[in-house]
């Protein structure tokens, strides 16, 4: 069988290192959310508030797990997510919108999320602009609790995974088996994002802002990640691998070297 042609992508290296492994396509929960008329608005409001409480409980558990895996300073990052969930003014606004519009909780939540994200993206300061991703991650967690999710197990995966995703939230670090992850490639993100900060703390090679890579890969593809130069090679040729042989890190066992244990055998993306 002929070798697959090499594909080259470029982004920004936010945590250095050069690793070779196989793609684990870690897709976000993208949904088509429609506005649905709700007759019993009080029941719908209660459903939303139950999802908020479930999200808080999950985040507290994930925070403890993240602190155990990568250090207390990184677990603190999830405090910002918890504060958003505890914002009574925002919850009240959404509940009132459900009542006034007789609309489903998912629709109202996404309308509020889009308004907040737009407001953050309009800010001039890069650090605060990057916080729009925190809002999206919190909204995604609430949506998961409104709709449910299937479990994902790391048990049978090889130890050479390079996660490729649109985004990756701080809480995701607590739900994956970091002893099996060699690197991270994201289509979105910035140097000051919480995810980038955690990658540097873990010494996990990472490249962000890699445009349109998800549509060009499948899980199991061979991938060479050069985070030193912000380059990603899918189906790298022998010459390409040989050129960086002296810089290749032996494995993704940064986690093992830092005493990080794997999570429980089966988890969902939201850690439940």
């Amino acid at each position: 069988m002929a070798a697959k042609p090499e594909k080259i992508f470029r982004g920004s290296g936010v945590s250095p290192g050069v690793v070779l492994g196989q793609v684990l396509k870690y897709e976000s929960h993208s949904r088509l959310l429609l506005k649905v008329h709700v007759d019993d608005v009080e029941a719908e409001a209660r459903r939303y508030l139950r999802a908020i409480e479930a999200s808080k409980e999950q985040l507290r558990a994930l925070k403890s797990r993240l602190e155990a895996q990568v250090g207390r300073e990184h677990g603190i990052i999830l405090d910002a997510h918890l504060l958003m969930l505890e914002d009574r003014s925002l919850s009240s606004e959404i509940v009132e919108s459900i009542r006034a519009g007789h609309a489903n909780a998912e629709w109202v939540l996404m309308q509020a999320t889009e308004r907040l994200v737009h407001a953050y993206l309009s800010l001039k300061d890069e650090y605060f602009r990057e916080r729009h991703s925190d809002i999206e991650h919190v909204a995604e967690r609430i949506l998961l609790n409104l709709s449910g999710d299937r479990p994902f197990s790391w048990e049978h995966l090889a130890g050479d995974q390079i996660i490729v995703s649109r985004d990756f939230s701080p809480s995701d670090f607590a739900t994956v088996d970091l002893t099996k992850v060699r690197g991270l490639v994201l289509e979105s993100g910035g140097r000051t994002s919480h995810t980038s900060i955690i990658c540097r703390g873990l010494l996990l090679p990472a490249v962000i802002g890699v445009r349109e890579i998800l549509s060009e890969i499948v899980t199991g593809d061979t991938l060479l990640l050069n985070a030193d130069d912000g380059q990603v090679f899918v189906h790298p040729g022998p010459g390409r691998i040989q050129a960086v042989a002296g810089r290749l890190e032996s494995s993704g066992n940064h986690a093992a070297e830092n005493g990080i244990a794997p999570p429980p055998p089966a988890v969902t993306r939201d850690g439940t």
Side-chain angles (χ1 to χ4, degrees):
M1 182 182 294
K4 295 180 180 179
E6 181 180 82
K7 298 176 183 177
I8 304 174
F9 298 87
R10 291 176 174 82
S12 299
V14 294
S15 183
V18 182
V19 290
L20 180 68
Q22 61 177 313
V23 167
L24 177 62
K25 197 171 180 179
Y26 200 68
E27 297 189 76
S28 300
H29 296 280
S30 56
R31 299 178 179 84
L32 175 62
L33 295 177
L34 301 177
K35 185 177 183 180
V36 178
H37 179 82
V38 174
D39 289 322
D40 191 342
V41 293
E42 294 307 318
E44 189 68 4
R46 288 194 297 272
R47 187 170 75 92
Y48 171 73
L49 293 174
R50 284 196 300 271
I52 290 288
E53 291 306 312
S55 298
K56 290 180 188 177
E57 184 178 339
Q58 291 161 5
L59 272 179
R60 291 185 188 108
L62 287 170
K63 180 174 181 288
S64 296
R65 191 183 303 167
L66 188 63
E67 288 176 345
Q69 290 186 343
V70 299
R72 187 173 182 276
E73 68 276 14
H74 297 305
I76 292 173
I77 288 171
L78 293 186
D79 286 337
H81 292 197
L82 280 165
L83 285 173
M84 291 180 198
L85 289 170
E86 291 168 355
D87 185 341
R88 292 185 179 181
S89 63
L90 180 57
S91 287
S92 296
E93 176 190 333
I94 291 174
V95 167
E96 288 306 312
S97 295
I98 290 171
R99 289 169 174 158
H102 281 261
N104 54 313
E106 292 89 344
W107 172 263
V108 174
L109 172 63
M110 288 313 298
Q111 297 304 300
T113 299
E114 288 173 8
R115 288 197 302 272
L116 286 171
V117 167
H118 179 74
Y120 271 78
L121 287 174
S122 68
L123 298 174
K124 293 182 179 180
D125 186 278
E126 180 187 2
Y127 177 83
F128 288 107
R129 259 200 328 272
E130 285 295 331
R131 300 289 72 78
H132 82 274
S133 62
D134 293 326
I135 297 167
E136 291 174 329
H137 293 150
V138 170
E140 180 177 304
R141 175 165 301 281
I142 300 170
L143 287 171
L144 286 171
N145 283 305
L146 286 168
S147 62
D149 191 31
R150 291 179 176 273
F152 174 78
S153 175
W154 287 78
E155 184 178 359
H156 301 296
L157 291 179
D160 62 347
Q161 306 298 315
I162 297 177
I163 294 174
V164 184
S165 182
R166 187 186 75 82
D167 63 4
F168 199 78
S169 77
S171 61
D172 284 329
F173 284 99
T175 67
V176 303
D177 185 346
L178 291 171
T179 66
K180 293 185 176 182
V181 177
R182 291 189 176 181
L184 183 65
V185 177
L186 301 180
E187 286 193 337
S188 64
R191 287 197 62 85
T192 61
S193 70
H194 287 152
T195 296
S196 298
I197 293 167
I198 292 175
C199 283
R200 289 193 286 274
L202 284 172
L203 304 180
L204 183 71
V207 176
I208 63 170
V210 183
R211 301 289 181 86
E212 300 179 355
I213 188 172
L214 285 170
S215 62
E216 299 293 329
I217 60 165
V218 296
T219 292
D221 281 346
T222 301
L223 188 145
L224 176 63
L225 170 61
N226 183 346
D228 293 346
D229 300 326
Q231 296 178 318
V232 179
F233 305 93
V234 181
H235 310 304
R240 180 79 64 185
I241 296 172
Q242 184 60 37
V244 296
R247 298 160 64 193
L248 275 176
E249 312 219 1
S250 59
S251 72
N253 290 331
H254 305 283
E257 291 164 5
N258 286 285
I260 295 170
V267 295
T268 63
R269 178 158 184 181
D270 67 331
T272 59

